[in-house]
Amino acid sequence: MKVDHLVEPDRVHRTVYTDQAIFDAEMERIFERAWVYCGHASQVKAPGDYHAVTIGRQPMLMVRQPDGSIQVLYNRCPHRGVQVVGNQSGNAGSALVCSYHAWSFHLDGRVRAIPLAQGYENTRMTRDNPDCSMKRAARVDSYRGFVFASLAAEGPSLPEFLGEAKVAFDDMCDRSPEGEVEVVPWCHRVIQQSNWKFFMENQLDALHPSVTHQSTGIAASRVERRLKAEGGTPPLYYHYLSAFASSFAQWDSVQTLNFPRGHGILKAYMGLRPQDADTKAYEALLERAYGKEKMEEYLSRSIHHVLVYPYLSVQSPLQQLRCLRPIAPDRTLSEIWHFRLKGAPEAIYRRSLWYFNLVNSPATMINADDLENWTRAQWGLQSNGLDWVSFHRWYGDDQEEDGVVASRHGTSEAVMRNQFRAWTGYMAQ
Ligand code: FES
C-alpha cells in the first residue's frame, strides 16, 4: 500500500488513524510480521498450560510443552475451523481437544487422533497430511522470560528486533536479586475507543502530563505538603501522582531516545530510591547478589518508559507492562500487567502494585484522563476540520547519530516523527 503521501517528516494525514484499509494493511504488514509479545513464561508454568493471545488479527495460543519449551499455535481446528481453546488461559492436560468433533492434538499442534478415522480414508484429510495439524507461529523466541512470536518466517531475529529496547527487560529483571521476574496473573484489560497509535505516541509525550494530569497531580501534591507540614513522611504512592504535575521545565529537561524500528526511551525517573528501612533491606539483598557496583548500575538506569514499537510500553523500574492488541481503526485493547521481582521483599512488590492500581488501572485518575483525550482525538480526526496532524514541536532540533534520534527537549515531538518513520518503513514492505 502506498502511504508516502500520508506521512511527511513533520506531519501526517488524519486518515492514518481512521481509515479501515490502512488499519488492515497495518495488521498485515506490521503486527503479523513483527515479533509480538505473547506473554511471560511464568504464565504457562506446567506442561499443558496455555494462554490465548491475539497477534494482529490472528487468535493464537501460547502453550507449555512437555520438554519445557513454549510453542505458539494458531487457535484454529484443522477440521472445520473451530477455535480449539475457548478460555483465556488454563491447562489442556496432555492434549488439545476440539469441542466440536473431538479431533485431538499434541501440545505442539501435531494431530494426535481423529475419531472415526475410517470416514477419511481415501480423502486428503488423513493423519499423514500436515494440514491435519494445528498450524504453528513461524517463529517463537524469548528474552529473559518474555515470550514473543512472529508470524513471518523471514525477518530480523528477536534480539535484532528488540535492539536497544532490550533494556526494558534487563532493567526489570536486574532489579530482582534472582535476576528474574514472575507475572502477577491478574491483568487489567481496557478497550480504548481510539486508534492504537495514540497510545504509543502518548507514552513518551512529556508535553501532556502537566496539562492532562494536572488536577490529579496537584491534588496529590497538596496532600504530600500537608503530611510533611504535620511532621509525617508522605507514602511513596503520593509521589507517583504528584510527579505528573511537574513543571514544563522539568519535563522539558528529560531526554527521549528514538530508535530505528520505532522503539523509544523516555529517560529519568521519579526518585525511586527513598532511604527507608524497606529500601535498605532490598538494596542489601541486591548487593549480596551482584556486588555494590552492579547494584548501583542496576538501580541508577535512567528510564521512565521503554517502548517496543508498535505495541508495548514497559515501565521497568516499577515492573509494569502494557501491551496493545488493536481491534479496529477506532478500537484498541490494552492489557495491563505487572510483575514480582523474584527474591525481593514484599514491601517492594507493594510499590509495584500501588503503581499498577493508581496509575495504570482502568479505575485510575491518570489513565482515565488519557483515554478521554484519545477518544476525543479520534472524533476530531474523523471530522473534516483539517487534514493534517502536526508534529512540529522542536522539529529540526533533534540530534541524530547512527539512526538514533536524541531529543534536546523532553517535550519534542521527535518521538512521533520517529514512530512514523518506522511505520512508513513497515507499510512499504
Ligand atoms: Fe474441530 Fe471438527 S471442527 S473437530
Side-chain angles (χ1 to χ4, degrees):
M1 169 177 266
K2 283 246 172 288
V3 293
D4 293 354
H5 60 298
L6 302 174
V7 179
E8 297 181 8
D10 55 354
R11 64 179 192 171
V12 297
H13 195 271
R14 66 186 176 89
T15 50
V16 304
Y17 299 88
T18 60
D19 185 85
Q20 183 68 49
I22 288 176
F23 178 82
D24 292 340
E26 289 175 336
M27 294 304 101
E28 183 192 325
R29 296 176 188 203
I30 306 179
F31 286 83
E32 293 171 13
R33 288 188 187 166
W35 286 95
V36 170
Y37 179 63
C38 297
H40 191 262
S42 58
Q43 279 168 252
V44 287
K45 281 187 181 153
D49 281 358
Y50 63 83
H51 181 79
V53 61
T54 303
I55 297 181
R57 297 158 297 186
Q58 312 304 319
M60 308 298 291
L61 288 175
M62 176 172 75
V63 188
R64 179 71 74 171
Q65 303 298 305
D67 67 359
S69 64
I70 291 175
Q71 192 58 262
V72 177
L73 310 172
Y74 285 77
N75 187 9
R76 191 269 196 211
C77 179
H79 180 214
R80 297 251 290 277
V82 167
Q83 293 197 350
V84 176
V85 166
N87 293 336
Q88 184 74 51
S89 57
N91 186 284
S94 60
L96 295 153
V97 182
C98 180
S99 61
Y100 201 5
H101 311 101
W103 286 32
S104 63
F105 308 91
H106 296 285
L107 296 174
D108 62 1
R110 282 176 301 122
V111 65
R112 190 167 91 157
I114 300 177
L116 309 171
Q118 63 274 24
Y120 297 93
E121 282 169 12
N122 304 317
T123 77
R124 294 194 261 214
M125 284 306 263
T126 49
R127 344 171 4 111
D128 52 349
N129 181 345
D131 284 352
C132 284
S133 293
M134 292 173 71
K135 188 175 167 182
R136 295 181 194 167
R139 295 181 292 165
V140 179
D141 199 358
S142 67
Y143 186 74
R144 299 201 72 165
F146 295 83
V147 180
F148 296 77
S150 166
L151 305 186
E154 306 291 327
S157 66
L158 178 63
E160 284 168 349
F161 168 77
L162 290 175
E164 301 282 348
K166 282 200 294 282
V167 73
F169 310 106
D170 289 331
D171 188 48
M172 211 192 278
C173 295
D174 290 344
R175 288 169 184 270
S176 150
E178 297 177 20
E180 285 180 34
V181 296
E182 182 164 36
V183 74
V184 179
W186 291 282
C187 167
H188 291 313
R189 289 188 169 81
V190 178
I191 292 183
Q192 65 183 67
Q193 305 298 320
S194 54
N195 191 268
W196 61 272
K197 293 188 280 298
F198 290 121
F199 177 102
M200 295 303 286
E201 293 164 13
N202 188 78
Q203 295 310 297
L204 303 195
D205 181 333
L207 184 59
H208 86 283
S210 309
V211 182
T212 301
H213 307 303
Q214 182 186 53
S215 57
T216 305
I218 286 177
S221 304
R222 284 191 189 129
V223 178
E224 265 186 323
R225 276 202 301 276
R226 181 170 56 75
L227 290 173
K228 276 184 196 156
E230 291 169 355
T233 306
L236 186 63
Y237 45 78
Y238 280 104
H239 182 57
Y240 293 163
L241 297 175
S242 63
F244 282 92
S246 301
S247 68
F248 283 112
Q250 283 170 298
W251 283 113
D252 209 35
S253 67
V254 174
Q255 191 183 43
T256 62
L257 293 175
N258 303 283
F259 302 104
R261 292 184 203 281
H263 310 325
I265 297 175
L266 177 62
K267 293 172 87 171
Y269 206 65
M270 34 173 83
L272 272 178
R273 289 186 67 180
Q275 284 306 298
D276 58 285
D278 291 330
T279 309
K280 285 183 178 159
Y282 166 58
E283 292 190 0
L285 284 173
L286 284 183
E287 189 173 338
R288 203 174 311 144
Y290 302 117
K292 192 164 180 55
E293 201 174 315
K294 278 283 171 202
M295 177 197 76
E296 285 299 331
E297 179 192 325
Y298 293 161
L299 294 182
S300 308
R301 285 195 181 108
S302 182
I303 291 177
H304 190 301
H305 272 93
V306 181
L307 287 191
V308 177
Y309 191 79
Y311 58 86
L312 209 58
S313 167
V314 183
Q315 280 177 291
S316 45
L318 283 159
Q319 299 85 53
Q320 314 281 314
L321 179 149
R322 283 180 281 176
C323 183
L324 300 184
R325 313 283 180 191
I327 299 168
D330 59 354
R331 291 190 66 183
T332 307
L333 169 70
S334 60
E335 298 174 354
I336 306 162
W337 297 95
H338 74 303
F339 297 81
R340 275 180 190 272
L341 300 172
K342 275 187 159 178
E346 182 67 12
I348 301 302
Y349 166 65
R350 304 301 290 186
R351 291 177 186 173
S352 172
L353 178 62
W354 272 110
Y355 200 86
F356 181 66
N357 284 328
L358 271 179
V359 177
N360 287 339
S361 92
T364 164
M365 295 166 282
I366 301 294
N367 193 29
D369 288 337
D370 290 323
L371 288 165
E372 181 171 349
N373 275 345
W374 306 334
T375 302
R376 286 160 58 182
Q378 189 74 31
W379 292 344
L381 296 185
Q382 285 167 0
S383 78
N384 293 331
L386 284 170
D387 276 341
W388 293 93
V389 178
S390 159
F391 297 135
H392 294 86
R393 189 170 173 78
W394 292 111
Y395 178 59
D397 189 63
D398 312 326
Q399 295 172 288
E400 182 166 347
E401 200 175 324
D402 298 330
V404 180
V405 177
S407 69
R408 290 179 209 266
H409 296 267
T411 64
S412 168
E413 285 164 343
V415 172
M416 300 81 193
R417 294 190 286 269
N418 189 63
Q419 288 183 7
F420 271 101
R421 191 155 72 166
W423 185 86
T424 309
Y426 272 114
M427 295 291 275
Q429 287 176 21

